[in-house]
Amino acid sequence: MAVQQRRVSVPVRIGNVTVGGNHPIVVQSMTNTDTADVMSTVNQTMALAQAGSELVRVTVNTEAAAQAVPKIVETLDKFGVRVPIIGDFHYNGHILLKKYPDCARALAKYRINPGNVNIGKKHDDNFRVMIEAAIEYDRPVRIGVNWGSLDQALLTRMMDENSLLPEPLDAKEVTMNAIVRSAVHSAESAERHGLGRDKIILSAKVSGVQDLITVYRKLAAQCDYALHLGLTEAGLGSKGIVATTGALAVLLQEGIGDTIRASLTPLPNGDRTDEVIVCQQILQALELRSFTPQVTACPGCGRTTSTFFQDMADQIQTYLREQMPTWKGRYVGVEEMKVAVMGCVVNGPGESKHSNIGISLPGTFEEPVAPVYVDGKLSTTLRGDRIVAEFIEILDKYVERRYAERVAETTAV
């Protein structure tokens, strides 16, 4: 099933990245360091950017954090890391942006939560101050509604209105509608204060998969602002990955979403970059973007009691990801390459033929030979203890031969 036509949204420029319109769906992430700790935040931001995060958000919740932001951006720049840094504000953003103009200038975008800046009350002065800062420093904002901090005055009013209807909606649906109304109302309020439509991104985060799909379908139908997708708390490990994939895949398949994040709870001593890789894999699996060559590997069965093919598949996938920063600058289209590492002769040769390059390893009871297929044709057969090293050599030569020619053709044109 093909992805439905992309929803038309107003493009928003964030530093050197454009979100929305016909631009590629953008992957973003967020640090979990103390922002006041400049070097820890710089190191994690660099790791996230290296993994492929195109936007990185940092918490700006204290004066120390606000003072650290310009130092963080300056240090990243010295290391040649140009990833736009987004400030995540709650409760006191109006104070920090006004008191620390260097912070306001250094950030590429501000994230505002309308549920905790007085928006919806009699006076929305705090919200207005943040919007005025965005206007003054020519910065876009993400108005991010979260059902865990939804504007209670708005929700109460909508619940009261609902109770007067001949056929009232259930409380959950009213809450979903309140989330959408909060986002749209806040965006309209920002425009009344003078912020352009091309400076506004909306998000409406909940933690349930079906709820997220419902909310974003409603939101997408009511506005043309660029939309950021993500569960507010996806969860830990496989649960978080599956929930994120389940929610985002449905919406992206329907053409909804301009930028995404997987809000995964890291395992103890886990790698924060996992959330970036999950987002990339979702987009690549849906054939919306390509980031790194993909390795197809069989799940294994009684024919493959050896774990050799599993180890090899892992080594190859790791090798490809490590090579991508270099390859991407030299070879056009290498991120679309498909590699097969199969464990036996049942599907091995066929799957290898369908890939750019593939190897079919011997199963438990098969002759200890490993045929290698290149562009659908048998190229060679490997034997012995150096199968992995020899296959990587073949892979390197293939990349250089096939994709170097494409770079030369592009340059000639």
Side-chain angles (χ1 to χ4, degrees), residues 297-332:
C298 65
C301 65
R303 298 177 63 91
T304 56
T305 53
S306 169
T307 61
F308 181 69
F309 83 96
Q310 298 168 312
D311 294 334
M312 184 171 180
D314 182 57
Q315 290 179 57
I316 296 299
Q317 182 69 74
T318 300
Y319 179 77
L320 292 171
R321 187 168 289 279
E322 290 174 346
Q323 293 303 305
M324 273 308 296
T326 300
W327 283 355
K328 192 173 182 179
R330 295 179 58 190
Y331 306 121
V332 175

PDB file of all heavy atoms in Angstrom, residues 297-332:
ATOM      1  N   ALA A 297      18.144  -9.983   7.203  1.00  0.00           N
ATOM      2  CA  ALA A 297      18.694 -11.192   7.814  1.00  0.00           C
ATOM      3  C   ALA A 297      17.547 -12.085   8.240  1.00  0.00           C
ATOM      4  O   ALA A 297      16.526 -11.616   8.727  1.00  0.00           O
ATOM      5  CB  ALA A 297      19.576 -10.837   9.015  1.00  0.00           C
ATOM      6  N   CYS A 298      17.717 -13.391   8.048  1.00  0.00           N
ATOM      7  CA  CYS A 298      16.643 -14.314   8.413  1.00  0.00           C
ATOM      8  C   CYS A 298      16.589 -14.482   9.931  1.00  0.00           C
ATOM      9  O   CYS A 298      17.573 -14.233  10.625  1.00  0.00           O
ATOM     10  CB  CYS A 298      16.841 -15.662   7.719  1.00  0.00           C
ATOM     11  SG  CYS A 298      18.331 -16.549   8.236  1.00  0.00           S
ATOM     12  N   PRO A 299      15.442 -14.915  10.467  1.00  0.00           N
ATOM     13  CA  PRO A 299      15.305 -15.046  11.925  1.00  0.00           C
ATOM     14  C   PRO A 299      16.001 -16.265  12.503  1.00  0.00           C
ATOM     15  O   PRO A 299      16.185 -16.365  13.711  1.00  0.00           O
ATOM     16  CB  PRO A 299      13.791 -15.136  12.120  1.00  0.00           C
ATOM     17  CG  PRO A 299      13.302 -15.738  10.854  1.00  0.00           C
ATOM     18  CD  PRO A 299      14.174 -15.170   9.766  1.00  0.00           C
ATOM     19  N   GLY A 300      16.381 -17.192  11.630  1.00  0.00           N
ATOM     20  CA  GLY A 300      16.989 -18.416  12.127  1.00  0.00           C
ATOM     21  C   GLY A 300      15.948 -19.494  12.409  1.00  0.00           C
ATOM     22  O   GLY A 300      14.781 -19.195  12.659  1.00  0.00           O
ATOM     23  N   CYS A 301      16.371 -20.741  12.332  1.00  0.00           N
ATOM     24  CA  CYS A 301      15.479 -21.872  12.600  1.00  0.00           C
ATOM     25  C   CYS A 301      16.328 -23.080  12.942  1.00  0.00           C
ATOM     26  O   CYS A 301      17.530 -22.956  13.203  1.00  0.00           O
ATOM     27  CB  CYS A 301      14.579 -22.138  11.390  1.00  0.00           C
ATOM     28  SG  CYS A 301      15.519 -22.684   9.932  1.00  0.00           S
ATOM     29  N   GLY A 302      15.720 -24.263  12.900  1.00  0.00           N
ATOM     30  CA  GLY A 302      16.466 -25.474  13.228  1.00  0.00           C
ATOM     31  C   GLY A 302      17.570 -25.786  12.250  1.00  0.00           C
ATOM     32  O   GLY A 302      18.460 -26.589  12.532  1.00  0.00           O
ATOM     33  N   ARG A 303      17.518 -25.169  11.062  1.00  0.00           N
ATOM     34  CA  ARG A 303      18.573 -25.386  10.079  1.00  0.00           C
ATOM     35  C   ARG A 303      19.808 -24.545  10.394  1.00  0.00           C
ATOM     36  O   ARG A 303      20.850 -24.706   9.759  1.00  0.00           O
ATOM     37  CB  ARG A 303      18.056 -25.017   8.685  1.00  0.00           C
ATOM     38  CG  ARG A 303      16.884 -25.838   8.192  1.00  0.00           C
ATOM     39  CD  ARG A 303      16.420 -25.340   6.836  1.00  0.00           C
ATOM     40  NE  ARG A 303      17.467 -25.498   5.835  1.00  0.00           N
ATOM     41  CZ  ARG A 303      17.624 -26.563   5.062  1.00  0.00           C
ATOM     42  NH1 ARG A 303      16.799 -27.605   5.210  1.00  0.00           N
ATOM     43  NH2 ARG A 303      18.578 -26.627   4.172  1.00  0.00           N
ATOM     44  N   THR A 304      19.672 -23.590  11.353  1.00  0.00           N
ATOM     45  CA  THR A 304      20.772 -22.646  11.607  1.00  0.00           C
ATOM     46  C   THR A 304      21.098 -22.607  13.095  1.00  0.00           C
ATOM     47  O   THR A 304      20.945 -21.571  13.747  1.00  0.00           O
ATOM     48  CB  THR A 304      20.387 -21.233  11.137  1.00  0.00           C
ATOM     49  OG1 THR A 304      19.162 -20.849  11.780  1.00  0.00           O
ATOM     50  CG2 THR A 304      20.186 -21.175   9.647  1.00  0.00           C
ATOM     51  N   THR A 305      21.489 -23.757  13.632  1.00  0.00           N
ATOM     52  CA  THR A 305      21.806 -23.782  15.060  1.00  0.00           C
ATOM     53  C   THR A 305      23.047 -22.963  15.393  1.00  0.00           C
ATOM     54  O   THR A 305      23.253 -22.569  16.530  1.00  0.00           O
ATOM     55  CB  THR A 305      22.009 -25.233  15.532  1.00  0.00           C
ATOM     56  OG1 THR A 305      22.983 -25.870  14.694  1.00  0.00           O
ATOM     57  CG2 THR A 305      20.704 -25.998  15.479  1.00  0.00           C
ATOM     58  N   SER A 306      23.882 -22.678  14.397  1.00  0.00           N
ATOM     59  CA  SER A 306      25.029 -21.807  14.604  1.00  0.00           C
ATOM     60  C   SER A 306      24.544 -20.356  14.677  1.00  0.00           C
ATOM     61  O   SER A 306      23.587 -19.963  13.994  1.00  0.00           O
ATOM     62  CB  SER A 306      26.034 -21.940  13.458  1.00  0.00           C
ATOM     63  OG  SER A 306      27.006 -20.913  13.534  1.00  0.00           O
ATOM     64  N   THR A 307      25.188 -19.559  15.513  1.00  0.00           N
ATOM     65  CA  THR A 307      24.848 -18.123  15.606  1.00  0.00           C
ATOM     66  C   THR A 307      25.729 -17.279  14.703  1.00  0.00           C
ATOM     67  O   THR A 307      25.700 -16.060  14.778  1.00  0.00           O
ATOM     68  CB  THR A 307      25.009 -17.637  17.061  1.00  0.00           C
ATOM     69  OG1 THR A 307      26.383 -17.813  17.465  1.00  0.00           O
ATOM     70  CG2 THR A 307      24.085 -18.397  17.994  1.00  0.00           C
ATOM     71  N   PHE A 308      26.498 -17.934  13.842  1.00  0.00           N
ATOM     72  CA  PHE A 308      27.441 -17.193  13.010  1.00  0.00           C
ATOM     73  C   PHE A 308      26.749 -16.156  12.130  1.00  0.00           C
ATOM     74  O   PHE A 308      27.207 -15.018  11.999  1.00  0.00           O
ATOM     75  CB  PHE A 308      28.255 -18.159  12.140  1.00  0.00           C
ATOM     76  CG  PHE A 308      29.268 -17.481  11.265  1.00  0.00           C
ATOM     77  CD1 PHE A 308      30.394 -16.877  11.817  1.00  0.00           C
ATOM     78  CD2 PHE A 308      29.098 -17.435   9.888  1.00  0.00           C
ATOM     79  CE1 PHE A 308      31.325 -16.239  11.009  1.00  0.00           C
ATOM     80  CE2 PHE A 308      30.020 -16.790   9.079  1.00  0.00           C
ATOM     81  CZ  PHE A 308      31.136 -16.208   9.636  1.00  0.00           C
ATOM     82  N   PHE A 309      25.634 -16.534  11.518  1.00  0.00           N
ATOM     83  CA  PHE A 309      24.963 -15.594  10.611  1.00  0.00           C
ATOM     84  C   PHE A 309      24.400 -14.395  11.386  1.00  0.00           C
ATOM     85  O   PHE A 309      24.331 -13.284  10.880  1.00  0.00           O
ATOM     86  CB  PHE A 309      23.853 -16.291   9.803  1.00  0.00           C
ATOM     87  CG  PHE A 309      22.537 -16.430  10.520  1.00  0.00           C
ATOM     88  CD1 PHE A 309      21.518 -15.505  10.333  1.00  0.00           C
ATOM     89  CD2 PHE A 309      22.322 -17.492  11.388  1.00  0.00           C
ATOM     90  CE1 PHE A 309      20.297 -15.633  10.988  1.00  0.00           C
ATOM     91  CE2 PHE A 309      21.111 -17.629  12.048  1.00  0.00           C
ATOM     92  CZ  PHE A 309      20.098 -16.703  11.854  1.00  0.00           C
ATOM     93  N   GLN A 310      24.000 -14.641  12.661  1.00  0.00           N
ATOM     94  CA  GLN A 310      23.513 -13.527  13.484  1.00  0.00           C
ATOM     95  C   GLN A 310      24.649 -12.554  13.799  1.00  0.00           C
ATOM     96  O   GLN A 310      24.484 -11.336  13.702  1.00  0.00           O
ATOM     97  CB  GLN A 310      22.917 -14.069  14.786  1.00  0.00           C
ATOM     98  CG  GLN A 310      21.714 -14.972  14.580  1.00  0.00           C
ATOM     99  CD  GLN A 310      21.345 -15.720  15.850  1.00  0.00           C
ATOM    100  OE1 GLN A 310      22.211 -16.306  16.494  1.00  0.00           O
ATOM    101  NE2 GLN A 310      20.075 -15.691  16.204  1.00  0.00           N
ATOM    102  N   ASP A 311      25.791 -13.116  14.175  1.00  0.00           N
ATOM    103  CA  ASP A 311      26.952 -12.271  14.464  1.00  0.00           C
ATOM    104  C   ASP A 311      27.375 -11.487  13.223  1.00  0.00           C
ATOM    105  O   ASP A 311      27.701 -10.305  13.301  1.00  0.00           O
ATOM    106  CB  ASP A 311      28.129 -13.131  14.954  1.00  0.00           C
ATOM    107  CG  ASP A 311      27.849 -13.778  16.299  1.00  0.00           C
ATOM    108  OD1 ASP A 311      27.041 -13.215  17.060  1.00  0.00           O
ATOM    109  OD2 ASP A 311      28.444 -14.835  16.580  1.00  0.00           O
ATOM    110  N   MET A 312      27.342 -12.146  12.094  1.00  0.00           N
ATOM    111  CA  MET A 312      27.766 -11.484  10.859  1.00  0.00           C
ATOM    112  C   MET A 312      26.795 -10.369  10.477  1.00  0.00           C
ATOM    113  O   MET A 312      27.211  -9.273  10.079  1.00  0.00           O
ATOM    114  CB  MET A 312      27.877 -12.489   9.719  1.00  0.00           C
ATOM    115  CG  MET A 312      28.413 -11.873   8.433  1.00  0.00           C
ATOM    116  SD  MET A 312      28.793 -13.097   7.176  1.00  0.00           S
ATOM    117  CE  MET A 312      29.373 -12.037   5.842  1.00  0.00           C
ATOM    118  N   ALA A 313      25.501 -10.649  10.600  1.00  0.00           N
ATOM    119  CA  ALA A 313      24.510  -9.621  10.283  1.00  0.00           C
ATOM    120  C   ALA A 313      24.695  -8.393  11.171  1.00  0.00           C
ATOM    121  O   ALA A 313      24.624  -7.247  10.702  1.00  0.00           O
ATOM    122  CB  ALA A 313      23.093 -10.178  10.441  1.00  0.00           C
ATOM    123  N   ASP A 314      24.949  -8.639  12.455  1.00  0.00           N
ATOM    124  CA  ASP A 314      25.173  -7.525  13.389  1.00  0.00           C
ATOM    125  C   ASP A 314      26.442  -6.762  13.033  1.00  0.00           C
ATOM    126  O   ASP A 314      26.461  -5.520  13.058  1.00  0.00           O
ATOM    127  CB  ASP A 314      25.254  -8.067  14.812  1.00  0.00           C
ATOM    128  CG  ASP A 314      25.445  -6.956  15.840  1.00  0.00           C
ATOM    129  OD1 ASP A 314      24.604  -6.043  15.886  1.00  0.00           O
ATOM    130  OD2 ASP A 314      26.433  -7.011  16.594  1.00  0.00           O
ATOM    131  N   GLN A 315      27.503  -7.471  12.707  1.00  0.00           N
ATOM    132  CA  GLN A 315      28.759  -6.820  12.328  1.00  0.00           C
ATOM    133  C   GLN A 315      28.593  -5.978  11.066  1.00  0.00           C
ATOM    134  O   GLN A 315      29.106  -4.859  10.989  1.00  0.00           O
ATOM    135  CB  GLN A 315      29.853  -7.863  12.114  1.00  0.00           C
ATOM    136  CG  GLN A 315      30.335  -8.548  13.378  1.00  0.00           C
ATOM    137  CD  GLN A 315      31.410  -9.591  13.085  1.00  0.00           C
ATOM    138  OE1 GLN A 315      32.439  -9.272  12.495  1.00  0.00           O
ATOM    139  NE2 GLN A 315      31.170 -10.824  13.489  1.00  0.00           N
ATOM    140  N   ILE A 316      27.880  -6.521  10.102  1.00  0.00           N
ATOM    141  CA  ILE A 316      27.687  -5.796   8.841  1.00  0.00           C
ATOM    142  C   ILE A 316      26.832  -4.548   9.057  1.00  0.00           C
ATOM    143  O   ILE A 316      27.145  -3.462   8.556  1.00  0.00           O
ATOM    144  CB  ILE A 316      27.029  -6.707   7.778  1.00  0.00           C
ATOM    145  CG1 ILE A 316      27.951  -7.871   7.435  1.00  0.00           C
ATOM    146  CG2 ILE A 316      26.689  -5.906   6.529  1.00  0.00           C
ATOM    147  CD1 ILE A 316      29.273  -7.470   6.851  1.00  0.00           C
ATOM    148  N   GLN A 317      25.727  -4.684   9.820  1.00  0.00           N
ATOM    149  CA  GLN A 317      24.872  -3.524  10.076  1.00  0.00           C
ATOM    150  C   GLN A 317      25.642  -2.431  10.825  1.00  0.00           C
ATOM    151  O   GLN A 317      25.537  -1.241  10.497  1.00  0.00           O
ATOM    152  CB  GLN A 317      23.651  -3.940  10.897  1.00  0.00           C
ATOM    153  CG  GLN A 317      22.659  -2.805  11.172  1.00  0.00           C
ATOM    154  CD  GLN A 317      21.936  -2.365   9.915  1.00  0.00           C
ATOM    155  OE1 GLN A 317      21.050  -3.051   9.413  1.00  0.00           O
ATOM    156  NE2 GLN A 317      22.310  -1.217   9.377  1.00  0.00           N
ATOM    157  N   THR A 318      26.433  -2.831  11.812  1.00  0.00           N
ATOM    158  CA  THR A 318      27.243  -1.867  12.554  1.00  0.00           C
ATOM    159  C   THR A 318      28.277  -1.217  11.635  1.00  0.00           C
ATOM    160  O   THR A 318      28.490   0.008  11.686  1.00  0.00           O
ATOM    161  CB  THR A 318      27.960  -2.554  13.733  1.00  0.00           C
ATOM    162  OG1 THR A 318      26.976  -3.121  14.606  1.00  0.00           O
ATOM    163  CG2 THR A 318      28.814  -1.569  14.511  1.00  0.00           C
ATOM    164  N   TYR A 319      28.900  -2.003  10.806  1.00  0.00           N
ATOM    165  CA  TYR A 319      29.904  -1.472   9.875  1.00  0.00           C
ATOM    166  C   TYR A 319      29.283  -0.447   8.928  1.00  0.00           C
ATOM    167  O   TYR A 319      29.851   0.629   8.694  1.00  0.00           O
ATOM    168  CB  TYR A 319      30.520  -2.622   9.075  1.00  0.00           C
ATOM    169  CG  TYR A 319      31.562  -2.180   8.070  1.00  0.00           C
ATOM    170  CD1 TYR A 319      32.843  -1.844   8.477  1.00  0.00           C
ATOM    171  CD2 TYR A 319      31.253  -2.088   6.715  1.00  0.00           C
ATOM    172  CE1 TYR A 319      33.802  -1.424   7.556  1.00  0.00           C
ATOM    173  CE2 TYR A 319      32.194  -1.676   5.783  1.00  0.00           C
ATOM    174  CZ  TYR A 319      33.471  -1.344   6.213  1.00  0.00           C
ATOM    175  OH  TYR A 319      34.405  -0.913   5.296  1.00  0.00           O
ATOM    176  N   LEU A 320      28.117  -0.767   8.394  1.00  0.00           N
ATOM    177  CA  LEU A 320      27.454   0.149   7.462  1.00  0.00           C
ATOM    178  C   LEU A 320      27.120   1.474   8.137  1.00  0.00           C
ATOM    179  O   LEU A 320      27.334   2.555   7.570  1.00  0.00           O
ATOM    180  CB  LEU A 320      26.179  -0.493   6.921  1.00  0.00           C
ATOM    181  CG  LEU A 320      26.378  -1.702   5.997  1.00  0.00           C
ATOM    182  CD1 LEU A 320      25.037  -2.372   5.709  1.00  0.00           C
ATOM    183  CD2 LEU A 320      27.062  -1.286   4.704  1.00  0.00           C
ATOM    184  N   ARG A 321      26.588   1.412   9.357  1.00  0.00           N
ATOM    185  CA  ARG A 321      26.236   2.638  10.069  1.00  0.00           C
ATOM    186  C   ARG A 321      27.485   3.464  10.380  1.00  0.00           C
ATOM    187  O   ARG A 321      27.454   4.689  10.291  1.00  0.00           O
ATOM    188  CB  ARG A 321      25.474   2.295  11.355  1.00  0.00           C
ATOM    189  CG  ARG A 321      24.928   3.516  12.084  1.00  0.00           C
ATOM    190  CD  ARG A 321      23.943   3.129  13.165  1.00  0.00           C
ATOM    191  NE  ARG A 321      22.699   2.636  12.601  1.00  0.00           N
ATOM    192  CZ  ARG A 321      21.733   3.424  12.151  1.00  0.00           C
ATOM    193  NH1 ARG A 321      21.867   4.740  12.208  1.00  0.00           N
ATOM    194  NH2 ARG A 321      20.619   2.917  11.665  1.00  0.00           N
ATOM    195  N   GLU A 322      28.569   2.812  10.730  1.00  0.00           N
ATOM    196  CA  GLU A 322      29.808   3.535  11.021  1.00  0.00           C
ATOM    197  C   GLU A 322      30.398   4.177   9.777  1.00  0.00           C
ATOM    198  O   GLU A 322      31.034   5.234   9.851  1.00  0.00           O
ATOM    199  CB  GLU A 322      30.834   2.582  11.649  1.00  0.00           C
ATOM    200  CG  GLU A 322      30.475   2.134  13.065  1.00  0.00           C
ATOM    201  CD  GLU A 322      31.428   1.084  13.605  1.00  0.00           C
ATOM    202  OE1 GLU A 322      32.200   0.510  12.787  1.00  0.00           O
ATOM    203  OE2 GLU A 322      31.392   0.820  14.824  1.00  0.00           O
ATOM    204  N   GLN A 323      30.203   3.545   8.628  1.00  0.00           N
ATOM    205  CA  GLN A 323      30.768   4.074   7.383  1.00  0.00           C
ATOM    206  C   GLN A 323      29.946   5.217   6.789  1.00  0.00           C
ATOM    207  O   GLN A 323      30.460   6.010   6.001  1.00  0.00           O
ATOM    208  CB  GLN A 323      30.874   2.958   6.334  1.00  0.00           C
ATOM    209  CG  GLN A 323      31.873   1.871   6.671  1.00  0.00           C
ATOM    210  CD  GLN A 323      33.264   2.417   6.890  1.00  0.00           C
ATOM    211  OE1 GLN A 323      33.818   3.104   6.053  1.00  0.00           O
ATOM    212  NE2 GLN A 323      33.832   2.111   8.051  1.00  0.00           N
ATOM    213  N   MET A 324      28.676   5.310   7.167  1.00  0.00           N
ATOM    214  CA  MET A 324      27.783   6.261   6.512  1.00  0.00           C
ATOM    215  C   MET A 324      28.234   7.719   6.570  1.00  0.00           C
ATOM    216  O   MET A 324      28.099   8.444   5.579  1.00  0.00           O
ATOM    217  CB  MET A 324      26.356   6.126   7.057  1.00  0.00           C
ATOM    218  CG  MET A 324      25.543   5.071   6.337  1.00  0.00           C
ATOM    219  SD  MET A 324      25.548   5.257   4.539  1.00  0.00           S
ATOM    220  CE  MET A 324      24.710   6.836   4.355  1.00  0.00           C
ATOM    221  N   PRO A 325      28.764   8.227   7.693  1.00  0.00           N
ATOM    222  CA  PRO A 325      29.216   9.627   7.679  1.00  0.00           C
ATOM    223  C   PRO A 325      30.219   9.908   6.575  1.00  0.00           C
ATOM    224  O   PRO A 325      30.208  10.984   5.968  1.00  0.00           O
ATOM    225  CB  PRO A 325      29.835   9.799   9.078  1.00  0.00           C
ATOM    226  CG  PRO A 325      29.102   8.820   9.941  1.00  0.00           C
ATOM    227  CD  PRO A 325      28.894   7.631   9.056  1.00  0.00           C
ATOM    228  N   THR A 326      31.110   8.936   6.285  1.00  0.00           N
ATOM    229  CA  THR A 326      32.092   9.102   5.211  1.00  0.00           C
ATOM    230  C   THR A 326      31.464   8.837   3.854  1.00  0.00           C
ATOM    231  O   THR A 326      31.609   9.622   2.908  1.00  0.00           O
ATOM    232  CB  THR A 326      33.278   8.146   5.415  1.00  0.00           C
ATOM    233  OG1 THR A 326      33.896   8.433   6.675  1.00  0.00           O
ATOM    234  CG2 THR A 326      34.302   8.311   4.303  1.00  0.00           C
ATOM    235  N   TRP A 327      30.732   7.742   3.747  1.00  0.00           N
ATOM    236  CA  TRP A 327      30.125   7.377   2.467  1.00  0.00           C
ATOM    237  C   TRP A 327      29.123   8.417   1.973  1.00  0.00           C
ATOM    238  O   TRP A 327      29.061   8.699   0.771  1.00  0.00           O
ATOM    239  CB  TRP A 327      29.418   6.033   2.601  1.00  0.00           C
ATOM    240  CG  TRP A 327      30.338   4.852   2.605  1.00  0.00           C
ATOM    241  CD1 TRP A 327      31.687   4.848   2.415  1.00  0.00           C
ATOM    242  CD2 TRP A 327      29.969   3.486   2.807  1.00  0.00           C
ATOM    243  NE1 TRP A 327      32.182   3.580   2.497  1.00  0.00           N
ATOM    244  CE2 TRP A 327      31.158   2.715   2.730  1.00  0.00           C
ATOM    245  CE3 TRP A 327      28.760   2.837   3.056  1.00  0.00           C
ATOM    246  CZ2 TRP A 327      31.155   1.334   2.880  1.00  0.00           C
ATOM    247  CZ3 TRP A 327      28.759   1.467   3.207  1.00  0.00           C
ATOM    248  CH2 TRP A 327      29.938   0.707   3.119  1.00  0.00           C
ATOM    249  N   LYS A 328      28.356   8.980   2.897  1.00  0.00           N
ATOM    250  CA  LYS A 328      27.315   9.927   2.491  1.00  0.00           C
ATOM    251  C   LYS A 328      27.905  11.137   1.787  1.00  0.00           C
ATOM    252  O   LYS A 328      27.288  11.711   0.885  1.00  0.00           O
ATOM    253  CB  LYS A 328      26.496  10.369   3.704  1.00  0.00           C
ATOM    254  CG  LYS A 328      25.219  11.114   3.348  1.00  0.00           C
ATOM    255  CD  LYS A 328      24.378  11.371   4.580  1.00  0.00           C
ATOM    256  CE  LYS A 328      23.068  12.069   4.205  1.00  0.00           C
ATOM    257  NZ  LYS A 328      22.231  12.313   5.390  1.00  0.00           N
ATOM    258  N   GLY A 329      29.106  11.546   2.205  1.00  0.00           N
ATOM    259  CA  GLY A 329      29.755  12.691   1.573  1.00  0.00           C
ATOM    260  C   GLY A 329      30.394  12.364   0.244  1.00  0.00           C
ATOM    261  O   GLY A 329      30.716  13.267  -0.537  1.00  0.00           O
ATOM    262  N   ARG A 330      30.586  11.065  -0.031  1.00  0.00           N
ATOM    263  CA  ARG A 330      31.288  10.672  -1.260  1.00  0.00           C
ATOM    264  C   ARG A 330      30.392  10.024  -2.308  1.00  0.00           C
ATOM    265  O   ARG A 330      30.642  10.162  -3.502  1.00  0.00           O
ATOM    266  CB  ARG A 330      32.411   9.699  -0.905  1.00  0.00           C
ATOM    267  CG  ARG A 330      33.512  10.280  -0.047  1.00  0.00           C
ATOM    268  CD  ARG A 330      34.579   9.233   0.266  1.00  0.00           C
ATOM    269  NE  ARG A 330      35.158   8.676  -0.954  1.00  0.00           N
ATOM    270  CZ  ARG A 330      35.974   7.620  -0.966  1.00  0.00           C
ATOM    271  NH1 ARG A 330      36.272   7.004   0.166  1.00  0.00           N
ATOM    272  NH2 ARG A 330      36.477   7.183  -2.098  1.00  0.00           N
ATOM    273  N   TYR A 331      29.393   9.303  -1.855  1.00  0.00           N
ATOM    274  CA  TYR A 331      28.614   8.485  -2.776  1.00  0.00           C
ATOM    275  C   TYR A 331      27.139   8.853  -2.744  1.00  0.00           C
ATOM    276  O   TYR A 331      26.508   8.826  -1.694  1.00  0.00           O
ATOM    277  CB  TYR A 331      28.772   7.006  -2.416  1.00  0.00           C
ATOM    278  CG  TYR A 331      30.204   6.535  -2.341  1.00  0.00           C
ATOM    279  CD1 TYR A 331      30.721   5.994  -1.170  1.00  0.00           C
ATOM    280  CD2 TYR A 331      31.041   6.629  -3.453  1.00  0.00           C
ATOM    281  CE1 TYR A 331      32.034   5.555  -1.092  1.00  0.00           C
ATOM    282  CE2 TYR A 331      32.355   6.195  -3.395  1.00  0.00           C
ATOM    283  CZ  TYR A 331      32.854   5.661  -2.213  1.00  0.00           C
ATOM    284  OH  TYR A 331      34.155   5.235  -2.160  1.00  0.00           O
ATOM    285  N   VAL A 332      26.613   9.171  -3.884  1.00  0.00           N
ATOM    286  CA  VAL A 332      25.198   9.515  -3.994  1.00  0.00           C
ATOM    287  C   VAL A 332      24.358   8.242  -4.027  1.00  0.00           C
ATOM    288  O   VAL A 332      24.607   7.345  -4.822  1.00  0.00           O
ATOM    289  CB  VAL A 332      24.936  10.344  -5.275  1.00  0.00           C
ATOM    290  CG1 VAL A 332      23.442  10.606  -5.445  1.00  0.00           C
ATOM    291  CG2 VAL A 332      25.705  11.646  -5.228  1.00  0.00           C
TER     292      VAL A 332
END
